[in-house]
Amino acid sequence: MYLIVGLGNPGRQYEATRHNMGFDVIDKLVEEYQVPQAGVKFNAMYGKGRIGGQPVILMKPLSYMNLSGGPIREMANYFKINPETEMIVIYDDIDLDPGQLRIRKKGSAGGHNGIKHIIQQLGTQNFVRIKVGVGAKPKGWDLADYVLGRFDKDDRALVEEAQERACKAVELILTDSVDAAMNEYNKKTGNV
C-alpha cells in the first residue's frame, strides 16, 4: 500500500493558490482514478483506492502546510506504511518554472516548511517527492504573499498541464519505478 500525500492549506481562501499545488494534484488523482473518499482521519482528508493496480491512500493533511508532518506520521503508522519505500509527497516548488516537474527520491527540505516538518516528524528525509514548479517570487515580494497568491492565465495553463503529468508520474512510480518516472518527467518541457 502506498501513501500519496498532497500538501496544501485547508479553506476556500487557499484554493488554487501556488501553495496548494499538492492538494490540486490529489484532487486530480481522485477524479482520474475514481478513488472513493473515506472521510477524515488524523486531521487529514483521505481516500483509498487503486492506481495502476496498486492499493493507495490519497491524503490531504488539514493541519496547515507547516504542520503537515503530524497527520502524515499518524496515517503512516496506522496503515503500517514505510515512508521511505511506500510514500510519495507532492508539493509546490518556487525554484522551478511554472509547469516544471522534479521528482526526487530523497533530499533536504530546501526551505519548504511543509517538507521540513515532515522530515522532523518522520525522522528521515528519504522519501519520494514530486515537486511542481510555481515560479520564483518576484523581487520585493513577501514569500508568504507570493505562495498564497494565484496564477495568472498563462501560468495557470502550464500548471494544470503539469498537474496532469504529476498524476501520470505517480502511476509510473507505482507501476514501474521512481527512476523511470525521473527519466520521463524531470526533463524540461518545451513550453517552459
Side-chain angles (χ1 to χ4, degrees):
M1 170 116 41
Y2 271 80
L3 179 61
I4 301 167
V5 183
L7 299 188
N9 288 308
R12 291 191 69 91
Q13 71 270 37
Y14 298 112
E15 284 175 11
T17 60
R18 292 178 181 89
H19 226 20
N20 269 33
M21 187 58 61
F23 276 17
D24 292 347
V25 173
I26 291 292
D27 290 343
K28 280 198 186 310
L29 286 167
V30 165
E31 194 178 311
E32 205 159 306
Y33 297 95
Q34 293 164 1
V35 175
Q37 293 308 284
V40 176
K41 188 184 223 60
F42 308 122
N43 200 20
M45 289 175 63
Y46 79 108
K48 293 169 79 175
R50 288 186 173 275
I51 295 176
Q54 290 282 348
V56 296
I57 296 167
L58 300 181
M59 174 183 179
K60 297 192 323 191
L62 300 175
S63 56
Y64 289 94
M65 176 71 80
N66 297 351
L67 298 174
S68 299
I72 292 170
R73 180 178 40 78
E74 290 184 64
M75 193 77 76
N77 287 346
Y78 182 82
F79 287 106
K80 298 181 175 33
I81 287 165
N82 179 345
E84 293 192 343
T85 57
E86 302 166 321
M87 182 174 84
I88 302 169
V89 180
I90 305 163
Y91 60 100
D92 61 293
D93 191 326
I94 60 168
D95 294 326
L96 297 173
D97 291 335
Q100 225 27 76
L101 290 188
R102 180 76 36 82
I103 300 167
R104 290 281 181 257
K105 293 181 180 178
K106 62 183 180 188
S108 71
H112 194 288
N113 289 330
I115 297 297
K116 199 179 292 177
H117 195 256
I118 294 167
I119 290 169
Q120 180 192 335
Q121 289 290 308
L122 297 180
T124 183
Q125 57 183 19
N126 299 333
F127 54 86
V128 174
R129 20 350 258 275
I130 299 176
K131 306 189 241 185
V132 183
V134 298
K137 155 183 98 64
K139 197 169 167 49
W141 279 50
D142 176 70
L143 181 61
D145 288 343
Y146 179 69
V147 297
L148 296 177
R150 289 178 173 76
F151 296 98
D152 65 26
K153 199 164 95 8
D154 292 342
D155 285 352
R156 170 53 62 192
L158 292 174
V159 162
E160 285 183 4
E161 195 261 328
Q163 291 170 354
E164 294 293 337
R165 283 185 291 119
C167 291
K168 300 276 181 272
V170 166
E171 183 174 2
L172 191 56
I173 290 168
L174 298 179
T175 58
D176 192 333
S177 67
V178 179
D179 287 331
M182 288 168 70
N183 288 337
E184 180 66 26
Y185 294 103
N186 282 357
K187 302 183 280 233
K188 271 210 177 270
T189 53
N191 57 358
V192 177

